[in-house]
Amino acid sequence: MTAPAPSLYLHATRSEIIELAAAEGHDADIPSNAGSIRPVVSRTSTRPRKTVDGQKDLSLSFGKDVEKGEENGSLSSVDEPEETEPNPDIVDFDGPEDPDNPLNWSNKKKWGMVSLISAITFLTPLASSMFAPGVPQVMAEFKSTNNMLAGFMVSVYVLGFAFGPLIIAPLSEMYGRLPLYHSCNFFFIVFTIAAAVASNMGQFITFRFFMGCFGGAPMVLGGGTIADLIPREQRGTAMAVWMMGPTIGPCVGPIIGGFLTVAKGWRWNFWFVAIVAGAFFIMSLILMSETSGTIILERKAKRLRAEIGNDKLVSKLDIGLTPTELFKLSIVRPTKMLFRSTICFAISLYVAITYAYLYILFTTFSVVFRDQYGWRGGTTGLSFLGLGIGSLIGQFVYIHYGNRTVTQHIERGDFKPEHRLYIMTVGGFFIPVGLFMYGWTVQAQTHFMAPQVATGIIGFGLLMTFMPAISYLVDVFTIHAASAMAASTVLRSLAAAFIPLSSQQMYGQLGYGWSNSLLGFIALALIPIPFLFIKYGERIRESSTVKL
């Protein structure tokens, strides 16, 4: 067999591999289109070496102190090739123009896939809160007066976000992105229809949970697919469009749902989502192809082994782990990092508390604006508009000013991850201000624009908190950034699912003014937290001993 020509990614640097891995939603010692910081399969052997007891040596993946950035010496540098002579048994893309490489696909095919993925990523977060204005109808139909259940019907969807991605991400590394897209889209439609025809509260909540589990797939896989298809210099626009889905989807959903509930009833919120998701599913079956370089090269190696009869042929991205080992490697890490890393737990807890505010608002907006302003029918969904606009503004402000601050430190040569948190200190002030303003303007029944502006301030502050935290975790944990972000996602999703359950009861006992003031005082007490991270974060990281 003729040795393959160098691929586009053959000489990918360590930083490029880490960047791509973060976009793809997995750790950088798991292979991707750019390779892996873990040495790929031996040039003389297709499997990892054995230890004296006959077990596979996995020390390459578990000897890293993720916070100190220390290596155990077994991770080889990816900035320089391990050997100058290509091995004819290593299967790679056939040169930089290989049509099998997703980066070489036609622009029509690539941007068609990007558009479809962005649309699906917008739809599934939209479904999280779309039926919120219809909660009173659901409660009446199922003959329930339990305010806790009223809130849980909305937030249980995000509980699914906590658990589904933990399984979806490892499975995508084993079997590729396409099977996970198709299967998750299919089951998302199935459980959406099930929720639309649910006959009691227990069924409805269960189906909503599984909607969230499978609906999280495009948010887990979308960034990686875009990174597979679009070159770095063109990737920013696609990623920005893709990220808008999780940002504004939950806020736009209730606006649509409010008018749809009046026109057709609460069940049609789910029929609408199922119909649109079904259309996207059919389009994905026609338009989407596998983009994971790992899977593409593995299939190529398998085909060549059968054609040529050379059992030594192996993918360039094969790191010698069985699917079971790869699954265990991916699924255990987030839990380890959450409970063994002080800085990961601390930043995740801070984000979880602030994220719970978002779902307290989601689960109470309809009731608040109905009782205090007499909003009925479709106009109830408009109560979410301020929060959505504020969140969108926060995203643009962070992208501009957050990146500018980091760039200045990088140019001076003194950058450290804590510099990502400077803009978080600003967000910390907006959240309590917005909560105080929202609570007392609603209590006093001032013009409805006052609480709308207040919720916009809250949304702005929340985005200025979430975005720096995500960037900070990527910079701190580098090769294991995806596991750190997964750990943070689990904690904040649990907080968003359970903390809002008592919000209706709290409003009933304390009133809107003092209830939101209580949340505001908690947010006020949290203002120093980002400053403490900035001052002591590096010291905490240096004193930690988290080995994976």
Side-chain angles (χ1 to χ4, degrees):
M1 173 184 175
T2 303
S7 74
L8 292 176
Y9 291 117
L10 183 59
H11 299 292
T13 64
R14 179 186 179 86
S15 62
E16 289 170 344
I17 290 174
I18 292 173
E19 177 186 341
L20 187 61
E24 292 178 342
H26 61 74
D27 293 332
D29 60 351
I30 291 174
S32 69
N33 288 10
S36 167
I37 58 91
R38 177 207 301 270
V40 297
V41 67
S42 167
R43 300 300 191 250
T44 59
S45 172
T46 59
R47 294 292 126 194
R49 65 182 182 272
K50 302 278 187 176
T51 60
V52 291
D53 60 359
Q55 297 299 314
K56 292 183 178 180
D57 183 1
L58 301 182
S59 62
L60 294 176
S61 61
F62 290 99
K64 169 80 174 170
D65 189 321
V66 295
E67 290 170 294
K68 295 180 184 179
E70 296 172 354
E71 306 284 356
N72 65 359
S74 59
L75 288 174
S76 63
S77 171
V78 296
D79 294 301
E80 296 181 6
E82 291 186 8
E83 65 179 20
T84 57
E85 293 295 327
N87 188 328
D89 292 334
I90 301 299
V91 178
D92 196 358
F93 289 115
D94 296 330
E97 304 299 327
D98 188 345
D100 287 338
N101 191 322
L103 286 175
N104 295 325
W105 293 352
S106 68
N107 284 332
K108 182 179 179 180
K109 182 176 182 179
K110 289 196 293 186
W111 286 102
M113 283 188 62
V114 169
S115 300
L116 182 57
I117 290 163
S118 298
I120 297 172
T121 308
F122 175 79
L123 177 65
T124 52
L126 177 142
S128 68
S129 57
M130 183 174 174
F131 93 107
V135 167
Q137 283 191 15
V138 180
M139 298 293 288
E141 181 168 334
F142 292 149
K143 297 179 175 57
S144 174
T145 57
N146 190 323
N147 289 330
M148 185 175 292
L149 281 179
F152 193 57
M153 282 192 297
V154 178
S155 61
V156 70
Y157 189 91
V158 80
L159 187 62
F161 280 178
F163 294 101
L166 290 179
I167 306 296
I168 293 169
L171 289 177
S172 71
E173 292 154 11
M174 296 163 57
Y175 303 109
R177 307 193 204 289
L178 198 60
L180 270 298
Y181 274 123
H182 291 336
S183 59
C184 289
N185 286 345
F186 174 77
F187 284 111
F188 175 75
I189 295 169
V190 168
F191 285 108
T192 301
I193 294 173
V197 299
S199 58
N200 58 63
M201 185 69 75
Q203 289 181 4
F204 181 75
I205 290 176
T206 301
F207 296 148
R208 279 277 292 174
F209 170 76
F210 284 109
M211 279 180 65
C213 286
F214 293 104
M219 291 188 287
V220 175
L221 306 173
T225 303
I226 291 172
D228 292 341
L229 294 167
I230 309 300
R232 294 179 74 187
E233 59 271 15
Q234 301 174 11
R235 198 177 298 157
T237 302
M239 293 294 285
V241 172
W242 176 71
M243 282 297 295
M244 284 186 183
T247 302
I248 65 175
C251 301
V252 173
I255 299 175
I256 301 173
F259 292 99
L260 190 59
T261 299
V262 172
K264 292 289 186 177
W266 68 267
R267 293 182 187 272
W268 264 94
N269 287 292
F270 296 92
W271 286 117
F272 172 84
V273 172
I275 291 169
V276 176
F280 288 156
F281 178 58
I282 295 172
M283 293 171 64
S284 68
L285 291 175
I286 299 171
L287 299 176
M288 292 180 68
S289 302
E290 183 58 67
T291 63
S292 170
T294 307
I295 302 301
I296 293 172
L297 289 180
E298 180 56 40
R299 291 173 180 172
K300 181 178 180 180
K302 183 178 180 180
R303 185 181 70 251
L304 290 174
R305 284 195 297 267
E307 292 176 357
I308 301 174
N310 182 359
D311 292 336
K312 294 182 180 180
L313 295 179
V314 65
S315 165
K316 180 178 76 80
L317 299 176
D318 186 352
I319 56 175
L321 296 182
T322 67
T324 301
E325 291 167 342
L326 193 59
F327 184 81
K328 289 179 179 178
L329 195 67
S330 302
I331 199 170
V332 171
R333 271 189 187 155
T335 304
K336 283 186 177 180
M337 296 185 74
L338 184 61
F339 292 105
R340 294 187 181 181
S341 168
T342 305
I343 199 69
C344 181
F345 178 79
I347 198 81
S348 298
L349 181 61
Y350 175 69
V351 171
I353 295 172
T354 55
Y355 194 69
Y357 291 154
L358 182 64
Y359 275 83
I360 289 175
L361 297 178
F362 278 162
T363 56
T364 57
F365 269 160
S366 298
V367 175
V368 169
F369 280 85
R370 180 195 64 194
D371 293 347
Q372 297 300 99
Y373 292 95
W375 286 16
R376 295 289 187 273
T379 56
T380 305
L382 296 175
S383 59
F384 293 75
L385 191 60
L387 192 64
I389 294 175
S391 299
L392 195 59
I393 294 173
Q395 185 174 11
F396 287 125
V397 170
Y398 171 76
I399 290 173
H400 179 71
Y401 290 102
N403 289 342
R404 188 172 70 175
T405 301
V406 170
T407 300
Q408 290 174 350
H409 285 283
I410 291 175
E411 290 175 350
R412 290 204 298 261
D414 64 347
F415 173 75
K416 58 183 180 179
E418 283 68 32
H419 290 138
R420 293 280 188 190
L421 303 180
Y422 285 177
I423 200 165
M424 183 188 279
T425 61
V426 177
F429 287 95
F430 278 89
I431 296 174
V433 169
L435 286 169
F436 288 133
M437 180 178 174
Y438 170 67
W440 291 108
T441 53
V442 166
Q443 182 76 30
Q445 294 182 315
T446 61
H447 191 275
F448 70 85
M449 279 303 298
Q452 286 288 291
V453 171
T455 57
I457 294 173
I458 297 171
F460 178 82
L462 291 174
L463 256 292
M464 298 287 277
T465 300
F466 302 154
M467 297 296 283
I470 292 172
S471 300
Y472 178 71
L473 290 174
V474 171
D475 285 334
V476 168
F477 295 99
T478 57
I479 68 170
H480 296 125
S483 290
M485 289 189 289
S488 178
T489 299
V490 169
L491 195 60
R492 76 168 183 256
S493 297
L494 290 173
F498 291 111
I499 291 179
L501 296 183
S502 59
S503 55
Q504 291 278 23
Q505 187 176 11
M506 177 181 68
Y507 282 161
Q509 293 182 354
L510 300 179
Y512 297 120
W514 283 112
S515 293
N516 286 285
S517 292
L518 176 62
L519 300 177
F521 287 128
I522 295 173
L524 203 62
L526 295 177
I527 287 178
I529 300 297
F531 293 95
L532 295 176
F533 283 139
I534 292 171
K535 184 173 182 179
Y536 299 108
E538 185 175 13
R539 189 182 307 175
I540 295 173
R541 288 189 286 112
E542 289 176 349
S543 63
S544 295
T545 55
V546 180
K547 294 186 182 293
L548 299 175

